[in-house]
Each structure stands twice: as C-alpha cells, then as structure tokens.
Amino acid sequence: MQALLHAIVEPGFFADGAVQTAAALGGVVAVVAGLIGVFTVIRSQAFAGHALSDIGSAGGSSAYLIGLAPLWGFVGISVLAAAAMERIGVQRARGRDVATGVVLGVGFALASLFLYLGMTYHNASGEIPTILFGSVFTLSASDLPLVMGLGAVALLVVLTLYRPLLLASVSPELAAARGVRVRLVGGAYLLALAITVALCDLTIGAILSTALLVGPAAAALRLTGRPHRAALLAAGISLACTWLGLLLAWDSFYWPPLRHGWPVSFFIVTLVLIAYLAAGALARGQTKRG
Amino acid sequence: MVNAWIVASLAAVVGGAVGFFVVMRGASFVAHAIPNGSFAGAAGATLVGASTIAGLGIFSVGGALGIGLLGRRGRRDVATALTLVFMLGLGALFLSLSAESSEAAYSLLFGEVLGISANEIVPTLALAVASLIVLGLLWRPLLLDSVLPERSSGRRLLAVDLAFLLLVAMTTTMTVPVVGTTLIFTLMIAPAAAARALTARPGVALALSSAVALVTVWGAIALSYTTNWPVGFFVGALGACAYAASHAAARSGDGGPGRTAGRG
Amino acid sequence: MSDEPQSTLTHAVPERAEPQVAGETVLELAGVTVELGARRILDDVGFRLKAGELTGLIGSNGAGKTTLLRVILGLLEPTRGTVTVNGADVGRSVGYVPQKFMLDPDLPVRARDLVALGIDGQRLGVARPSRERRERVARMLGAVGAADFADARVGRLSGGEQQRVLIAHALISHPSLLLLDEPLANLDLHSARAVVELLARIAREQRIAVMISAHEMNALLPVMDRVVYLADGRAACGRAEDVVRADVLSRLYGHRVEVIRAAGRVLVVAGEGDDAEPTHPHHLDAEEH
C-alpha cells in the first residue's frame, strides 16, 4: 500500500508548504469557478469570460508596472472590462461577440504595451510567463484570505440572484414579464464573472483561466438536467482537475528524461478537456441505453 | 522596413477580407482562438527545431478541425474555448521545456513586424493569394450559409463551416509573424465590424473592411517606428478607433443600415 | 422584485373555482396609442377582457400584436391611453407565454424546475424546498397534461410539450389574466387543437381571462368567445360573428376586403376590383394558410 502510494505520489507532496498553499488556494478558486461557470455556459458567455481573463493579462502586467500585487490588477481591469462590455451590449444575443471582440482587442493592445514597458524599464521578463500562464505554486499563504473573500463575494452575488438569474437565462422575455430587471441581473452576474475570472487568472494564468470556468461547467451540463446538481457537479469536477493537476505537476519533477517540472496549468487544462470529452461520451452512452 | 511594410499590407488585406465573414458568421471567438492557440505550434517548433511557419500551420489547422468537429456536438463557444485553452496549455508546456526566453514568447504573442526579412515575402504572398482564391470560390456558399443556415443540409453546412475554419487557419499562419497571435484577431474583427456599420452591400463591405485593415496596419507601423512602442498596441488601439468612429458615423446618418426596428 | 413573505404568494389569491359574478372585468384598455419615432404601431386601441372568457387577438404579422401584449404586460409604456389590470402587480396577476423560442437542449432545467420558477422566479435567493411546493408543481404539471415529461430538460421537449410547460409556468401563480403570444405557430394541427382545448378549459374552469394572439383564426373559432382584430395598429373588438364581417374589416383595413365562409372555416381576402392599397400588401394574405 505504502509502495503503491509512493508510486503515484512522489515523496514530499503532502508535507510541502507550497503545495499546501497551492492546494488551498487552487481549491477555493476551482469551486468558485465551477459554480459560477454553470451560468456562464448556460448564458453562452464563454467568449465574454475568456475575453475578461485575457484582458486580465493587461491588468496583471500593469499592476506589476506600478508595483501592485497582480491580483489587484486582475480584479480591477476585469471589472472595468465587464462594465465596458455591458455598455456596448454583451447581453444582447446579436452582435455581442463583436462587442466582446472589440473590448478584447483593446485589452490585448494594452497588455502588449504594459508587458513591453515592463520588459524595457523594469527588466520584468521573468514575470511574463507567470502573468500569462500563471503558477499556483508561486502564491503565498497570505493571499488566502483575500482570495477567499473575493470568492465569497462572487458566490454571494450568484446565490442572491439565483432564481431571477436562472429564469432570465432560460428566457429574458419570461423573466421581464415577471418584473425581473433582466439587464440589472445580467450586469450583476457579469461582475461576479469578472471577479471569478480574476481569481482564475491568478491560479492558472490569464490565458488559461477559461478552462476552469467553462470546462467543468460544460461537462456537468452534459451529465445532469437539474440546475443545483449541475452546479455542485461542476464544482466537484473543477476541484478534482485542479488537485490532480497539482499532484501531476509535483510528480513531473521526477519524470525522465528531463527531470524538469512541467507547468501546473498544462495539467489542469488537459484534465479539464478530458473531463469534458468523458462527460460527452458518458451522456451519449446514457441516451443510447435509455 | 520595406519588407515589413509589404508583408503587413498583405496580412491586412487578407485579414480584413476573411474578417468580413468572421463578423457575418458571429465567429469572433473562433477568430480569436485559432491564432491564439497556434502560438503553441510556434513554441513547439522551436522546441524540436522545426520551422515556425510549419508549427503555426499545423496547430492552426488542428485547432480549426478541433473546433469544427467538437462543436458539432454541444455548444460551439464551449468547444472553441476548450480547444483554445488546450492548445495554450501545450504552448505553456513547450515554452517551459525549451526554456525559451520570455522575449521570444512576447514577440510570438504580440508580433515583431519590424524584424521581418525579405525571404518571408514569397511564402506570405503565396498564402495571401491562396486565401483570396479560396475566399472567392466560397463567396456564395459562405454568404448564403451565414445569412440563412436553415436552408442548407447538415452535411453541406459542416463542409462550408470547415472550409471557413481552414481559411481562418491559413490567414493565421501567414499573419502571426507580423502582428503576433493575439492581434491578428483585432485585424479580423474591428475593420470588418466597422465596414458592416457603414454599408449594407456585401461586396462593398468586404472591400471596405480590407481597406480599413490596411490603413490600421500602415498607421500602426508608422507609429510604432517613431515611438518604438509595440506595433500590436497600435493595431489594437487604431482598430478600436475605427470601430467607434464608424459606429458614430452610422448613428448620425439616420440609424445606419445595420439597425432594424427590433420588433416581432 | 417584491418583498412580501412567501405566504402571500401561495394563499392570498382565492381559488378560481369558487363562484364569481359572471363577466367580471379583468383588463381594460382605453385609447392606447404607441408611437415609435414617426411610426404609429397602435392607434387608439380599447377593449375589455372578462374573467372566464377566451379572446383571440387576430392580425397579420406586423399588425401590432406583440406590441399590444408588451403594453399589457407593462414592458412598454403607451404614448397615450390607459391600461388597467385587475390587481396592481402585473408580474403576478398576468401570466405570460412568449412566442416559441429556441431553447438550448443542454440547459440544465427540467420542466418541473421551469414551473417552479413560475411560483417565485423573480425573488432573490434560492427557494427553500418543501413537500408542499413539490406537490403544487406536480399538480400543475398534471393539470396541463405535462406529468409524463416533468423530468425531461425543457430544451429537449417538442413544441407542443414546451407549450404545455410554459402554460403551467404561467398559471401556477394563479393569474387573473393569461396572455399567449402565437402559441399555435409551429404546432401541427393535432397539437394545436389540444392546446386550444386545454386553454378553453382553463378559462372556464379557473375563471381566468385568456387572450391568445394568432395570425390565423380558424384554429380558435370553435372556442373563441370574443375577438380583438388588429390591422395596421387599429382594432375592432367584439364577438367573432360581429367582427369578422366584410363591412367591419373593410373599415378597419381602409380598403375593401371580403370574408368568405366555407366548410366551417373563415377566409379574409382583399376585395376584387378595388384598389388594394399598395402600401399594405402584407394584409392581403392575412388569413391564408
């Protein structure tokens, strides 16, 4: 038993302080992303979520430039970008992907500028891979309260709006006829999404964070037709992918031939994709039998 | 400098033209995902010592097929997002394995137009011509399926869709060395969206889109040359300006052709 | 969004089965005019709907049916005129079934969940599950004949099935008025007849005023108590045999139309020889199938 465990988990995994911090932070973010992501997928806002995270890279790099912690950059710019998308109509079905695209283009432009300035004036090139691809191992335990606080805010928004948000996601018309202020509810949700995306940016990096947001939720939606269950399942899948990804990244230090650690984000993203494909196969198997 | 000018102009014309259909089909996310994901191809090519163009080509075509086939079952936006992040994840892996400098990653992501050499002109020209020929051949089916997807059979719809995705992949391959993986996207969306706001005629919109892209790129190169700031920044900023200006112009001219009464 | 306690929702509205004065007015429109820019969508529309009656809102595409429904729902403020709904809160006293919309087949919402959202979907927070709530939803699903597919995802139901679920969603909050926007479009003849019969039964048994918009009146003729006929934003109202007449409709359209009755069906066509108002060509096929 001990030998088997050692074969799967390389020594030192559970004892390492960085791993414990990463597991706690990654776990919080994974659960929040899974729960919030269900609505992102139902509302077909995967592109908006992805754009927010990409734009987050501009925030991360600008925060570095002015000497702030990247998290504030991520949160600040994601919320700003969400507001801009709301203004130019991300909630309308028609033309919203163009609106998202234009905001994203501006975000990229800023990111390229800030990264360039960072490299030129601060010799910050070591930070770029962290901002773009993230590394949960570089976070410190002192980040935990802040991450948990922001995650709680996002969850609180979605739990408070749960019923009107679900109704408006099924049909904005139906919700409006019941007196729901559809645009207000959608805007509040976009805010929760921006916060969630910023948290994902921190753990698996600005350009990969969509994986945690969209993948587990989409996999869960294939497996269950009940809204509560889908949310819980998505959180579970997200958590499993994150922790397994951490374990594999730890193990990869010992893998031949390089004996060079592989990026955590790579494992998390790959596991998420596998979960999505497996959920699809499982769902198809069920319908064939049923 | 002249090389950069020629290659960037080719990229702008093709990007603007393909972008017309990107906007028509509501495929902004795809147009973002294929170039952005192909970044992994370039990183992988450096790792194994192959040519960058080959790496970009393989990954952009692979991404196009992945999106097209995964998107057949389930949601298109989810399929696009997952294909993209998977390719980016591979890119992160390749980068970390090859211990590539972050400046190299930066130039792949955001472009390095001023470093283009003369021997890149011929392959870029060939790809540009090929893209425009394919676009010309697919003009009617693409237009029809973009407006009335219900009219076509499922198999034909898939074929046209895959052809369109491959067109985006081809454009990606030729444009990445110029503006980087992230900003091709701006070159495809903003000019086309601007053109659509100004005219209701498809042929004119396509030409206008290419023209706006061309002006954007020329302006960006000139500004980048004088300020030494990254060219990608100016492409993004000028593209957004063109979009905002065209929408302001369309609004002042009796609501514009893109607007409808929204009843029903 | 209202803040009243849960109990008002479940108990305040009396059961509709108890005897009421016949013909109690539920909705009254007077002089309703809607202008969007230079276009006049609705022109001085006025009528009353009474409890227990089924009314057809008939008109071709673009005649203003959806606009009229939006005005009644309070989603659109009329330029002039008044709308009085029995009960102050439109969201509760008016049930609404929108035009058929495309629902995502993967949406994780069962028929049961959508009906439950009809009870208090506008409230904040998550609903507390209770046996009473579950039973109320199950009763409603049974009443519209949707019990067999209560656990299926709404996006995977057929058009007729979705229609029943949406009706249950609208009815579960005991509205005094039920509005349906083109519920019969895209339904086959058999499903359409079943839905119409269901609605007629609901109107009579639960003493609800039901209004159904349609561009084709024949499916509604056997059950329709009254008709509101819209053409070009103007309305003619009354019993079907009083409104669907050549002279009334000719006045409404502003040019001559004929009403042809054959085999129990009604056909409205442009009058022959008359100048057929080239500005409104879409009215000519108003009642063709």
Side-chain angles (χ1 to χ4, degrees), chain A residues 181-223:
Chain A
R181 280 146 77 189
V182 175
R183 191 156 174 193
L184 191 68
V185 168
Y189 174 70
L190 214 52
L191 181 74
L193 179 62
I195 293 174
T196 311
V197 160
L199 293 177
C200 290
D201 285 353
L202 198 67
T203 29
I204 65 170
I207 63 180
L208 296 177
S209 68
T210 313
L212 272 187
L213 189 70
V214 169
L221 292 193
R222 290 179 151 192
L223 292 177

Coordinates of all heavy atoms in Angstrom, one line a residue, chain A residues 181-223:
Chain A
R181 N -35.7 42.7 -13.4 CA -35.0 43.7 -14.2 C -33.8 42.9 -14.8 O -32.7 42.8 -14.3 CB -34.5 44.8 -13.4 CG -35.7 45.8 -13.3 CD -35.8 46.5 -12.0 NE -34.9 47.5 -11.9 CZ -34.6 48.2 -10.8 NH1 -35.2 47.8 -9.7 NH2 -33.7 49.2 -10.8
V182 N -34.0 42.4 -16.1 CA -33.1 41.5 -16.7 C -31.7 42.1 -16.9 O -30.7 41.4 -16.6 CB -33.7 41.1 -18.1 CG1 -32.7 40.2 -18.8 CG2 -35.0 40.3 -17.9
R183 N -31.7 43.3 -17.3 CA -30.4 43.9 -17.5 C -29.5 44.1 -16.3 O -28.3 43.8 -16.2 CB -30.6 45.2 -18.2 CG -29.3 45.7 -18.8 CD -29.4 46.7 -19.9 NE -28.0 47.2 -20.1 CZ -27.7 48.2 -20.9 NH1 -28.6 48.8 -21.5 NH2 -26.5 48.5 -21.1
L184 N -30.3 44.5 -15.2 CA -29.6 44.6 -13.9 C -29.0 43.3 -13.4 O -27.9 43.2 -13.0 CB -30.6 45.2 -12.9 CG -30.0 45.7 -11.6 CD1 -29.2 46.9 -11.8 CD2 -31.1 46.0 -10.6
V185 N -29.9 42.3 -13.5 CA -29.4 41.0 -13.1 C -28.2 40.5 -13.9 O -27.2 40.0 -13.4 CB -30.6 40.0 -13.2 CG1 -30.1 38.5 -13.0 CG2 -31.7 40.3 -12.1
G186 N -28.3 40.7 -15.2 CA -27.2 40.3 -16.1 C -25.9 41.1 -15.8 O -24.8 40.5 -15.8
G187 N -26.1 42.3 -15.5 CA -24.9 43.1 -15.2 C -24.2 42.7 -13.9 O -23.0 42.6 -13.8
A188 N -25.1 42.4 -12.9 CA -24.5 41.9 -11.6 C -23.8 40.6 -11.8 O -22.8 40.3 -11.2 CB -25.7 41.8 -10.6
Y189 N -24.4 39.7 -12.6 CA -23.7 38.5 -12.9 C -22.4 38.7 -13.6 O -21.4 38.0 -13.2 CB -24.6 37.6 -13.8 CG -23.8 36.3 -14.2 CD1 -23.6 35.4 -13.2 CD2 -23.3 36.1 -15.4 CE1 -22.8 34.3 -13.5 CE2 -22.6 35.0 -15.7 CZ -22.3 34.1 -14.8 OH -21.5 33.0 -15.0
L190 N -22.3 39.6 -14.5 CA -21.1 39.9 -15.2 C -20.0 40.3 -14.2 O -18.8 40.0 -14.4 CB -21.3 41.0 -16.2 CG -20.6 40.9 -17.6 CD1 -20.7 39.6 -18.2 CD2 -21.0 42.0 -18.5
L191 N -20.4 41.1 -13.2 CA -19.5 41.5 -12.1 C -18.9 40.3 -11.4 O -17.7 40.1 -11.2 CB -20.2 42.4 -11.2 CG -19.4 43.0 -10.0 CD1 -18.4 44.0 -10.5 CD2 -20.3 43.5 -8.9
A192 N -19.8 39.3 -11.0 CA -19.4 38.1 -10.4 C -18.4 37.3 -11.3 O -17.4 36.8 -10.8 CB -20.6 37.3 -10.0
L193 N -18.8 37.3 -12.5 CA -17.9 36.6 -13.5 C -16.5 37.3 -13.6 O -15.5 36.6 -13.6 CB -18.6 36.7 -14.9 CG -17.8 36.0 -16.0 CD1 -17.6 34.5 -15.8 CD2 -18.6 36.2 -17.4
A194 N -16.5 38.6 -13.6 CA -15.2 39.3 -13.6 C -14.3 38.9 -12.4 O -13.1 38.7 -12.6 CB -15.4 40.8 -13.7
I195 N -14.9 38.9 -11.2 CA -14.2 38.6 -10.0 C -13.6 37.1 -10.1 O -12.5 36.9 -9.9 CB -15.0 38.7 -8.8 CG1 -15.4 40.2 -8.6 CG2 -14.3 38.2 -7.6 CD1 -16.3 40.5 -7.5
T196 N -14.5 36.2 -10.6 CA -14.1 34.8 -10.7 C -13.0 34.7 -11.6 O -12.0 33.9 -11.4 CB -15.3 34.0 -11.2 OG1 -16.4 34.3 -10.4 CG2 -15.0 32.5 -11.1
V197 N -13.1 35.4 -12.8 CA -12.0 35.3 -13.8 C -10.7 35.8 -13.2 O -9.7 35.2 -13.5 CB -12.5 36.0 -15.0 CG1 -11.3 36.4 -15.9 CG2 -13.5 35.2 -15.8
A198 N -10.8 36.9 -12.5 CA -9.5 37.4 -11.9 C -8.9 36.4 -11.0 O -7.7 36.2 -11.0 CB -9.9 38.7 -11.1
L199 N -9.7 35.7 -10.2 CA -9.2 34.6 -9.3 C -8.5 33.5 -10.1 O -7.5 33.0 -9.8 CB -10.3 34.1 -8.4 CG -10.9 35.0 -7.4 CD1 -12.0 34.4 -6.6 CD2 -9.8 35.5 -6.5
C200 N -9.2 33.1 -11.2 CA -8.6 32.0 -12.1 C -7.3 32.5 -12.7 O -6.4 31.7 -12.8 CB -9.6 31.7 -13.2 SG -11.1 30.9 -12.7
D201 N -7.3 33.8 -13.1 CA -6.1 34.3 -13.7 C -4.9 34.1 -12.8 O -3.8 33.8 -13.2 CB -6.2 35.9 -13.9 CG -7.1 36.2 -15.1 OD1 -7.5 35.3 -15.8 OD2 -7.4 37.4 -15.3
L202 N -5.1 34.3 -11.5 CA -4.1 34.2 -10.5 C -3.6 32.8 -10.4 O -2.4 32.6 -10.3 CB -4.7 34.7 -9.2 CG -3.7 35.1 -8.1 CD1 -2.9 36.3 -8.5 CD2 -4.4 35.3 -6.8
T203 N -4.5 31.8 -10.5 CA -4.0 30.5 -10.2 C -3.5 29.8 -11.5 O -2.4 29.2 -11.4 CB -5.2 29.6 -9.7 OG1 -6.4 30.1 -10.1 CG2 -5.2 29.6 -8.2
I204 N -4.2 29.8 -12.6 CA -3.7 29.1 -13.7 C -3.3 30.1 -14.9 O -2.9 29.6 -15.9 CB -4.6 28.0 -14.2 CG1 -5.9 28.5 -14.8 CG2 -4.9 27.0 -13.1 CD1 -6.7 27.5 -15.5
G205 N -3.3 31.4 -14.6 CA -2.8 32.3 -15.6 C -3.9 32.9 -16.5 O -4.9 32.3 -16.7
A206 N -3.6 34.1 -17.0 CA -4.6 34.9 -17.7 C -5.1 34.1 -18.9 O -6.3 34.1 -19.2 CB -4.1 36.2 -18.0
I207 N -4.2 33.5 -19.7 CA -4.7 33.0 -20.9 C -5.2 31.6 -20.8 O -5.8 31.0 -21.8 CB -3.7 33.1 -22.1 CG1 -2.5 32.3 -21.8 CG2 -3.3 34.6 -22.3 CD1 -1.4 32.5 -22.9
L208 N -5.2 31.0 -19.6 CA -5.7 29.6 -19.5 C -6.9 29.6 -18.6 O -7.5 28.5 -18.4 CB -4.6 28.7 -18.9 CG -3.4 28.5 -19.8 CD1 -2.4 27.6 -19.1 CD2 -3.8 27.9 -21.1
S209 N -7.3 30.7 -18.0 CA -8.3 30.6 -16.9 C -9.7 30.1 -17.4 O -10.5 29.6 -16.6 CB -8.4 31.9 -16.1 OG -8.9 32.9 -16.9
T210 N -9.9 30.4 -18.7 CA -11.2 29.9 -19.2 C -11.4 28.4 -19.0 O -12.6 28.0 -18.9 CB -11.2 30.2 -20.8 OG1 -10.7 31.5 -21.0 CG2 -12.6 30.1 -21.3
A211 N -10.4 27.7 -19.0 CA -10.5 26.2 -18.8 C -11.3 25.9 -17.6 O -12.3 25.1 -17.6 CB -9.1 25.6 -18.8
L212 N -10.9 26.5 -16.4 CA -11.6 26.2 -15.2 C -13.1 26.7 -15.2 O -13.9 26.1 -14.6 CB -10.9 26.8 -14.0 CG -9.8 26.0 -13.4 CD1 -9.3 26.7 -12.1 CD2 -10.3 24.6 -13.0
L213 N -13.2 27.9 -15.8 CA -14.6 28.5 -15.8 C -15.6 27.7 -16.7 O -16.7 27.5 -16.2 CB -14.4 29.9 -16.4 CG -15.6 30.8 -16.3 CD1 -15.8 31.2 -14.8 CD2 -15.4 32.1 -17.1
V214 N -15.1 27.3 -17.9 CA -16.1 26.8 -18.8 C -16.1 25.2 -18.8 O -17.2 24.6 -18.9 CB -15.7 27.3 -20.2 CG1 -16.5 26.6 -21.3 CG2 -16.0 28.8 -20.3
G215 N -14.9 24.6 -18.8 CA -14.8 23.2 -18.9 C -15.7 22.4 -18.0 O -16.5 21.6 -18.4
P216 N -15.4 22.5 -16.6 CA -16.2 21.7 -15.7 C -17.7 21.9 -15.8 O -18.5 21.0 -15.7 CB -15.6 22.1 -14.3 CG -14.3 22.7 -14.6 CD -14.4 23.3 -16.0
A217 N -18.1 23.2 -16.0 CA -19.5 23.5 -16.1 C -20.1 22.8 -17.3 O -21.2 22.2 -17.2 CB -19.7 25.0 -16.2
A218 N -19.4 22.9 -18.4 CA -20.0 22.3 -19.7 C -20.0 20.8 -19.5 O -21.0 20.1 -20.0 CB -19.1 22.7 -20.9
A219 N -19.0 20.2 -18.8 CA -19.1 18.7 -18.6 C -20.3 18.4 -17.7 O -21.0 17.4 -18.0 CB -17.8 18.3 -17.9
A220 N -20.5 19.2 -16.6 CA -21.6 18.9 -15.7 C -22.9 19.0 -16.4 O -23.8 18.2 -16.2 CB -21.5 19.9 -14.5
L221 N -23.1 20.0 -17.3 CA -24.3 20.2 -18.0 C -24.7 19.0 -18.9 O -25.8 18.8 -19.2 CB -24.3 21.4 -18.9 CG -24.2 22.8 -18.2 CD1 -24.5 23.9 -19.1 CD2 -25.2 22.8 -17.0
R222 N -23.6 18.3 -19.4 CA -23.9 17.1 -20.2 C -24.4 16.0 -19.3 O -25.1 15.0 -19.8 CB -22.6 16.7 -20.9 CG -22.2 17.6 -22.0 CD -21.0 17.2 -22.6 NE -20.9 17.7 -24.0 CZ -20.1 17.2 -24.9 NH1 -19.2 16.3 -24.6 NH2 -20.1 17.7 -26.1
L223 N -24.1 16.0 -18.0 CA -24.4 14.8 -17.2 C -25.7 14.9 -16.4 O -26.3 13.9 -16.1 CB -23.3 14.6 -16.2 CG -22.0 14.2 -16.9 CD1 -20.9 14.0 -15.8 CD2 -22.1 12.9 -17.6

